[in-house]
Amino acid sequence: SSLPEIVRHGTSGLLVPVDDDAALAGALTRLLHDPRLAATLGTHGREHVVRHFDRRRTLDRLLDLTRSREVPS
């Protein structure tokens, strides 16, 4: 999964282990009981995505990757 590259645990979101229902429930409960934390994580997450994953930058990276794999004719 690419989620850990986008979400930084405790800064822009909360990550839990795959298939760990108890950890997921705990993280959701924490956010429900701490709306300030939920808002802060949401704000930081949006800022991180806007800064590092904008359309132009993503398209430029994709084009660079595609060009580097072109087969010479």
Side-chain angles (χ1 to χ4, degrees), residues 11-13 30-32 34-47:
T11 301
S12 61
R30 182 176 173 196
L31 295 173
L32 286 171
D34 191 345
R36 185 175 293 160
L37 173 64
T40 299
L41 294 176
T43 298
H44 289 160
R46 183 179 191 293
E47 289 170 356

Side-chain angles (χ1 to χ4, degrees), residues 26-58:
L28 291 172
T29 300
R30 182 176 173 196
L31 295 173
L32 286 171
H33 290 286
D34 191 345
R36 185 175 293 160
L37 173 64
T40 299
L41 294 176
T43 298
H44 289 160
R46 183 179 191 293
E47 289 170 356
H48 179 73
V49 169
V50 166
R51 195 168 36 248
H52 297 286
F53 297 96
D54 67 86
R55 285 185 214 160
R56 171 53 67 199
R57 185 181 230 164
T58 301

